[in-house]
Amino acid sequence: MHPMLTIAVRAARRGGTIIQRARSRLHEIDFDQKGKQDYVSQVDRDSEMAVIDTLLTAFPHHAIKAEESGEQGESDHEWVVDPLDGTLNFLHGYNRFAISIALKVKGRLDQAVVYDPVMDDLFTASRGMGAQLNGQKIRTANRSNLSQCLLATGFPVRTPNDMASSLTSFSEVLPRCSDIRRSGAASLDLAYVACGHLDGYWESGLKEWDVAAGSLLVQESGGLVGDLSGTEKHLDTGNIIAANPRIYKQLLPLIKTE
């Protein structure tokens, strides 16, 4: 395992321990509303502190971009951190959430960790070295017909002006596939595309920390990742599609935006 990935795994597990300990006292957890249907809990903050402390202890000169504390430092090496992707799920005891950590080197994704502390599933990837789930190599599903596919999506609840186009895309895709899931945790949806549990995924209105690690997982497992206009600007736009190459080509025209 790449040395920087080893540290990222350590950071994710530290955050995961904090989240797991908090699951037994959900009724006691303080949380705030940052915006429309956008929540942050003390557990998010504590997990983020643990992750950042682990990363900066090992690499004190690296930069950080984290969901709760923002950006700190300047460096060619930047860690992109979501300490609890799926906060609303967590607060409701709905066990679909993860920690997402990615490393960008000179603006390019280089290392990735998505950790599900409930299932103890650890997804990892290093650029050019493939992707793994719990140490075993993973690949995207090999289905070639959209009609056989299980897909995932999300709805832009925080940007209601985008809801109409999202619902239109949903209505275009649903009759043409086996079914669609909506989990509320983008990092895990991307990880599941990477390991073949899902055949494809798309969503709009996300942040870089939601999709950075999962994007590299998909790419390193043989899949394609882009934005909803077919370019590779998903980290900038927050709009994303991911699937194996054959399903990607069938799905994109149904959801494509100008």
Side-chain angles (χ1 to χ4, degrees), residues 13 43 108 124 148 227 229 243 254:
R13 290 195 180 279
V43 179
R108 189 183 190 197
T124 57
Q148 301 173 338
D227 68 13
S229 61
L254 300 175

Side-chain angles (χ1 to χ4, degrees), residues 19-37:
I19 293 168
Q20 282 289 79
R21 287 173 178 168
R23 288 176 61 216
S24 63
R25 52 179 184 84
L26 290 177
H27 62 286
E28 301 175 2
I29 294 173
D30 294 328
F31 66 91
D32 301 311
Q33 188 165 352
K34 298 188 289 184
K36 181 178 174 60
Q37 293 175 269

Side-chain angles (χ1 to χ4, degrees), residues 29-56:
I29 294 173
D30 294 328
F31 66 91
D32 301 311
Q33 188 165 352
K34 298 188 289 184
K36 181 178 174 60
Q37 293 175 269
D38 189 8
Y39 300 89
V40 57
S41 72
Q42 188 58 46
V43 179
D44 293 71
R45 299 185 182 101
D46 291 345
S47 174
E48 184 168 293
M49 287 178 60
V51 168
I52 292 174
D53 177 71
T54 304
L55 297 175
L56 292 184

Side-chain angles (χ1 to χ4, degrees), residues 163-232:
M163 186 63 75
S165 61
S166 181
L167 292 174
T168 297
S169 297
F170 185 88
S171 65
E172 286 288 327
V173 175
L174 182 58
R176 294 173 170 85
C177 68
S178 287
D179 210 343
I180 300 175
R181 301 288 182 257
R182 199 276 189 187
S183 75
S187 62
L188 277 181
D189 286 335
L190 288 164
Y192 276 25
V193 172
C195 71
H197 294 341
L198 293 168
D199 297 292
Y201 163 72
W202 84 97
E203 189 168 351
S204 62
L206 298 168
K207 301 295 186 182
E208 184 176 6
W209 45 74
D210 296 317
V211 299
S215 295
L216 187 61
L217 288 173
V218 173
Q219 291 167 338
E220 288 296 320
S221 60
L224 296 178
V225 183
D227 68 13
L228 303 189
S229 61
T231 71
E232 297 182 358

